Amino acid sequence: MSSLVARRLGAYRALNCVSRDYARARGVPQTLDDLSAHLLVHYVARFGGGRDGFEYQGEGGEMRRVEMRASITVNSASAYMAACSAGLGIVQCPEVSARAQLDTGELIEILPRYHPPALSVSLLFPTRRHTPRRVRVFADWIAALVQPRLMAQG
């Protein structure tokens, strides 16, 4: 049994993105069924695990997993976004990670009706009892920095 306590801050909105060059070369999928003709950038925490594919949440909240071919597999967030920018495939990423590139037009949001699941953000504490004041102050400071970038809690 874990002695950790979570303080939920909210969630990052996630998007499906491709580079402008990928869109020119391969087109932009309009439906989930179109994805069979496209490539993804596969992200794994450690190599050798996981299937190539993405999860999508439809307008009604239903979840659907779509298997896809990967052009490359990476295990770091910076490599993931760099591979997308280089035109190697579709990524699913937090909006905050792609905002600058979306604003410049380097990346394009695709399939806006089918979002990836939101990415929950929480602060973890060893316990609520006797938490030192400096830890509470630090946690409040981190929360104040992060929460404006998160979706409303709900």
Side-chain angles (χ1 to χ4, degrees):
M1 186 161 119
S2 175
S3 62
L4 296 177
V5 175
R7 174 179 165 190
R8 188 176 192 302
L9 300 180
Y12 281 124
R13 179 176 177 261
L15 308 172
N16 306 293
C17 296
V18 296
S19 72
R20 183 177 43 226
D21 292 340
Y22 179 94
R24 277 193 209 116
R26 299 191 67 99
V28 175
Q30 301 299 312
T31 68
L32 295 184
D33 291 333
D34 294 345
L35 291 173
S36 63
H38 289 272
L39 298 171
L40 64 81
V41 176
H42 188 206
Y43 179 90
V44 294
R46 65 174 192 257
F47 290 114
R51 299 179 314 199
D52 297 347
F54 286 140
E55 287 186 341
Y56 294 91
Q57 188 168 357
E59 292 172 326
E62 71 283 354
M63 294 300 297
R64 180 171 164 196
R65 179 166 177 79
V66 177
E67 300 290 327
M68 296 170 59
R69 292 177 298 129
S71 64
I72 189 170
T73 299
V74 299
N75 68 345
S76 79
S78 59
Y80 189 62
M81 295 307 293
C84 181
S85 294
L88 296 180
I90 299 169
V91 298
Q92 292 186 324
C93 61
E95 180 179 17
V96 69
S97 298
R99 178 50 41 212
Q101 293 168 298
L102 289 165
D103 289 346
T104 65
E106 181 183 341
L107 295 184
I108 301 164
E109 181 181 3
I110 62 168
L111 299 168
R113 292 180 25 217
Y114 299 98
H115 286 281
L119 303 166
S120 182
V121 177
S122 299
L123 288 173
L124 296 177
F125 297 91
T127 179
R128 283 203 195 274
R129 293 180 58 184
H130 311 297
T131 302
R133 177 171 163 61
R134 67 180 175 263
V135 173
R136 289 192 313 268
V137 169
F138 178 76
D140 291 343
W141 176 73
I142 290 290
L145 288 175
V146 171
Q147 282 181 315
R149 294 173 175 85
L150 301 176
M151 298 168 40
Q153 294 188 44

